[in-house]
Amino acid sequence: MPSPTPYTRFQTTLAAVLEKLKPTSEERSLLMEPQHIHQARLPLTRDDGSATEFSAYRVQFNNARGPYKGGIRYHPAADLEEVKALAALMALKTAVVNIPFGGGKGGIQMDPRKLSARELQEVSRAYVRAFQPHLGTDIDVPAPDVNTTADIMAWMRDEYEKLTHSFSPSVITGKPLSYGGSLGRSAATARGGFFILQELIDREALDPQELKVAIQGFGNAGGTMAHLLHNAGFTIVSISDSQGGIYSAEGIDPVRVEKYKRKTGAVAGEYCEGSVCDVQKMKMDGMQHVTNEALLELPCDILIPAALDNVITAENADRIQARTILELANGPTTPEADAILEKKSIRVIPDILANAGGVTVSYFEWVQGRSGEQWTAERVDNELKRIMLEGYKMVRRTAYREKMSYRHAAFAVALRRILAAMKARGWVAS
Ligand code: GLU
């Protein structure tokens, strides 16, 4: 049997939920594959004058509910199978929180850390030139994802406007505030997950002071989440980045970690240089060095994968000690791991709900761009909270009534909304 890919893993969960929803074979075939796959080779002249090329993708999964929506990822692992899976998750994500978009995703298969600032801008503009006919405010609206920033979104909007001789502030979201961005967008993914976590612990009358959290990833989502939780009184026991991380049962101050990350480029930078750590200093501060794999298995109450996919697998799921997993990353848990976690009664708040805050504030940015309005930070925050909690309550109710995991319930809520739109549009018989 061929080994599973991110997309076949997505299809496994999709098929399991469709089994319960009983769609017609016509509906099913529309939901199992993306509507469009666009691919290109992007040429780049390196600073040293040499020529190179990168594979780039834009996958448009489903637009029954509105324009395709989803980020662009720059990563060596961003191949077609990964981008297809991420596009599919976006279609479900926008449906779970009921915002008027479909789902899509883009990627350039490369390591952006190996490019200079000029090269990065050049390849980002080349991406827009390659896919421009398929993009548009009412067609397909990209945004940031792993390794893509507000600056990159600004270059992309600029390139699009030049090519189309238009003013198109809403052709892309996640832009800088100075060029059509929205207040609250950069913190939105973490903030959305935080609202759900708050609601969950309020309902169970738990005290943040007594809850230990481990966070894998210290990028936009993981880093912001660490600050939010720390300020709310939770104890952050472990934080990591792609190079590994630190653990302290007594708690870690994310402000300090951030300072060292900025200075040394690593979360563990206060104690370690590469894999060589100052054991004495660590001991004095009650710290231990942990790998990204070990972080997942630490004693804690809440585990937050906030980096890449496929990290909680059949191999390690059994050793996870947290009682709740909040997925800020996309696709961190495999279907086999899901089954093990369910048996252990570990509650998983799935990616398509937990990290939907980012695309929700992207929606606000899109609305502001179209109307010429500027929302206050307070308005963004209140609306985000309302939408996240509505999504969460709908998923919780479905999970309870239909005796499903939160992931299956989130898929079911989303798929019913997509199916209803497909019927209303006459794509399938109603
Ligand atoms: N990349 C983010 C996600 O995976 C945001 C997408 C968007 O804002 O369109 O949800």
Side-chain angles (χ1 to χ4, degrees), residues 69-71 90 93 105 141 143-145 173 185 330 355 358-359 362:
K69 183 85 194 80
M90 284 310 304
K93 195 183 297 185
K105 198 85 171 198
V141 183
D145 196 72
T173 59
R185 175 61 185 86
N330 286 311
N355 71 30
V359 73
S362 275

Side-chain angles (χ1 to χ4, degrees), residues 33-303:
E33 291 294 333
Q35 288 173 325
H36 304 286
I37 295 176
H38 305 289
Q39 308 192 42
R41 296 280 295 168
L42 306 183
L44 172 71
T45 307
R46 301 296 306 258
D47 289 342
D48 65 7
S50 66
T52 185
E53 275 191 346
F54 299 111
S55 294
Y57 308 96
R58 186 72 189 169
V59 175
Q60 299 176 322
F61 191 78
N62 187 289
N63 68 348
R65 301 182 58 263
Y68 302 105
K69 183 85 194 80
I72 302 170
R73 172 175 296 202
Y74 291 178
H75 198 276
D79 60 8
L80 183 56
E81 284 298 293
E82 171 155 304
V83 179
K84 272 169 70 180
L86 293 167
L89 289 175
M90 284 310 304
L92 300 187
K93 195 183 297 185
T94 54
V96 172
V97 286
N98 213 3
I99 56 176
F101 287 116
K105 198 85 171 198
I108 306 183
Q109 199 171 0
M110 61 158 187
D111 183 353
R113 287 172 303 190
K114 297 201 171 123
L115 300 191
S116 70
R118 186 204 64 85
E119 291 169 339
L120 192 65
Q121 178 165 171
E122 190 45 46
V123 79
S124 301
R125 287 181 184 273
Y127 184 92
V128 174
R129 287 196 295 276
F131 298 118
Q132 178 261 316
H134 311 295
L135 306 177
T137 302
D138 298 313
I139 304 169
D140 184 346
V141 183
D145 196 72
V146 172
N147 291 332
T148 45
T149 59
D151 288 343
I152 294 175
M153 300 304 111
W155 301 328
M156 288 185 161
R157 171 183 164 190
D158 182 65
E159 190 65 26
Y160 182 87
E161 291 186 329
K162 277 185 180 143
L163 285 170
T164 55
H165 306 284
S166 67
F167 172 70
S168 308
S170 291
V171 70
I172 197 157
T173 59
K175 302 177 297 292
L177 275 174
S178 57
Y179 188 40
S182 173
L183 288 168
R185 175 61 185 86
S186 62
T189 305
R191 194 116 186 99
F194 178 74
F195 287 139
I196 292 183
L197 212 51
Q198 247 183 348
E199 168 73 17
L200 195 142
I201 69 163
D202 272 0
R203 233 178 106 82
E204 294 177 0
L206 297 169
D207 180 1
Q209 312 277 351
E210 285 165 15
L211 294 173
K212 297 188 175 205
V213 190
I215 307 176
Q216 185 187 63
F218 202 67
N220 178 311
T224 308
M225 192 58 152
H227 290 292
L228 289 173
L229 292 173
H230 181 71
N231 294 341
F234 291 80
T235 305
I236 314 283
V237 292
S238 189
I239 302 184
S240 70
D241 58 22
S242 59
Q243 304 157 65
I246 47 178
Y247 167 70
S248 160
E250 296 311 309
I252 296 170
D253 177 1
V255 178
R256 190 155 155 182
V257 172
E258 175 137 13
K259 195 176 100 192
Y260 282 94
K261 168 95 181 161
R262 223 176 288 134
K263 217 157 83 184
T264 65
V267 153
E270 184 175 357
Y271 305 99
C272 309
E273 234 188 282
S275 55
V276 185
C277 302
D278 184 339
V279 184
Q280 208 55 38
K281 184 169 161 55
M282 290 197 102
K283 213 168 171 181
M284 255 161 52
D285 288 0
M287 287 284 174
Q288 281 170 42
H289 187 251
V290 286
T291 61
N292 267 305
E293 295 75 47
L295 179 144
L296 300 168
E297 301 171 17
L298 289 171
C300 64
D301 303 289
I302 301 163
L303 173 64

